Amino acid sequence: MTEPTTGPESDPPAPVFELRGVGVDYRTPAGPVTAVHDVTLDVPARGVTVLAGPSGSGKSTLLRVLGLFDRPSRGGLRHAGTDVGTLRPAARRALRRRRLSQVFQNPTDNLLDFLSVGDNLRAAARSADRDCPAAEVSGILERLDLAGTEEWKVGALSGGQQQRLGFGCALARGSAVVLADEPTSQLDEASADRVLAAVRLLVEREVAVVLATHDPRLVALGSRVARLRAGSLLEVTGHG
Ligand SMILES: Nc1ncnc2c1ncn2[C@@H]1O[C@H](COP(=O)(O)OP(=O)(O)OP(=O)(O)O)[C@@H](O)[C@H]1O
C-alpha cells in the first residue's frame, strides 16, 4: 500500500505554528495589561524565526504562548495543523513533551546541576520518551565542541558551555521546535558566538528554532524576523 501524499515534493512543510489574531492580557493589581495585541504570524517548520524588539515588546509572552505554557486571551494558535486551543491540558502537556524544547536565558536553568553532562543529555531524552544511546551522546557533545566533558558535573562547565549543552538537551529530546529566550544575553561575545553555532546545528537537523532576542548576531540568523513594539507586530521580513 502506498503512503498518502500531501502534495508535490517541492511543497514546503506546513508552518509549525500559525498564530491568528493572538492577544494576551495579564491581570495585575492595577487592572489588565495587554502584553500582546492581535499578532498574526506563521512560523516555518524549518530555519530560525526571530522575535525581535525592545524590552517589554511582548517577546517572552509570545514564546510562552508558543511553548504552550500560557493560553492566548484572544485569537487562535495551531501547531503543525492542530488547533491547540481545543486541546485538554493533558494533551497540551503531551504535545509539549514530545514536540517542544525550551532554552532559557540563564544557562543553569536549562540543566540539572546534580547530574553529569552525559546524564543531562540522557535525562533530557527520557523526558521526551526517547533514548539517547552512547553514540548519540558523544556525537552531540562533539558537534557542540564539548567532547571530553561527558563525565563532568555541569557546574564545571563555563556559562557558554552550559548554554550549548542546553541546546544539546533539545537535540537529545528530538524536538521539532526549540524556543529560546535571549539565549546569549548572559554570555560574553566569544561564548555567544559558539551558541550561534549550536543554533545552526539545530537548523541543520531540521529543527524549527524560535528565538526571542535583541542580539543582532542572533537576529541575523533569522530566515524570518518578526519585529515587535509594545506588543504589536510591526513587520515580518525574510522568507522560509
Ligand atoms: N506576569 C505578568 N504580569 C503582568 N504583566 C506582565 C507579565 N509578564 C509580562 N508582563 C508585561 O507584558 C509586557 C510584555 O512583556 P514581555 O516580558 O513579554 O516582553 P519582552 O519583550 O520579552 O521583554 P524583555 O526583553 O525585557 O524580556 C510588558 O509590559 C510586561 O511588563
Side-chain angles (χ1 to χ4, degrees):
M1 199 163 79
T2 50
E3 291 289 316
T5 54
T6 52
E9 275 177 26
S10 55
D11 276 0
V16 78
F17 290 113
E18 295 159 79
L19 297 103
R20 294 293 177 268
V22 164
V24 181
D25 300 332
Y26 289 112
R27 283 201 205 103
T28 75
V33 171
T34 299
V36 168
H37 303 265
D38 194 24
V39 168
T40 291
L41 176 70
D42 284 351
V43 175
R46 304 277 183 271
V48 177
T49 297
V50 173
L51 305 177
S55 187
S57 57
K59 306 183 297 295
S60 302
T61 300
L62 270 183
L63 271 193
R64 291 188 60 79
V65 167
L66 297 179
L68 310 184
F69 290 107
D70 291 343
R71 287 178 188 271
S73 313
R74 292 170 295 288
L77 172 66
R78 298 177 87 82
H79 168 66
T82 298
D83 180 355
V84 296
T86 60
L87 296 179
R88 303 176 77 85
R92 284 170 70 89
R93 281 197 299 276
L95 194 60
R96 196 159 67 213
R97 190 171 71 244
R98 300 226 174 86
R99 304 270 307 165
L100 312 179
S101 282
Q102 311 281 326
V103 178
F104 300 104
Q105 190 167 19
N106 183 351
T108 55
D109 290 344
N110 298 311
L111 302 170
L112 298 169
D113 61 359
F114 52 91
L115 293 181
S116 68
V117 167
D119 284 343
N120 264 275
L121 291 175
R122 283 181 279 272
R126 268 196 308 278
S127 71
D129 305 329
R130 290 184 87 239
D131 283 331
C132 192
E136 194 176 341
V137 168
S138 45
I140 290 173
L141 293 179
E142 198 163 309
R143 287 301 308 270
L144 294 174
D145 211 3
L146 293 169
T149 64
E150 182 175 343
E151 306 299 330
W152 297 14
K153 284 278 192 294
V154 292
L157 299 176
S158 70
Q161 289 174 319
Q162 288 177 350
Q163 200 60 312
R164 298 207 298 281
L165 182 60
F167 281 99
C169 288
L171 270 180
R173 284 167 54 78
S175 301
V177 186
V178 174
L179 305 158
D181 200 353
E182 304 276 5
T184 55
S185 66
Q186 311 269 321
L187 304 178
D188 62 38
E189 205 160 309
S191 305
D193 276 346
R194 294 164 103 184
V195 166
L196 302 194
V199 172
R200 287 195 199 96
L201 174 59
L202 290 174
V203 172
E204 204 180 284
R205 300 272 177 101
E206 302 198 331
V207 174
V209 182
V210 186
L211 299 172
T213 188
H214 21 223
D215 179 340
R217 289 164 308 168
L218 282 178
V219 175
L221 286 184
S223 43
R224 181 165 295 193
V225 179
R227 292 187 190 279
L228 295 157
R229 174 83 43 89
S232 295
L233 196 53
L234 287 186
E235 60 167 2
V236 181
T237 53
H239 53 84

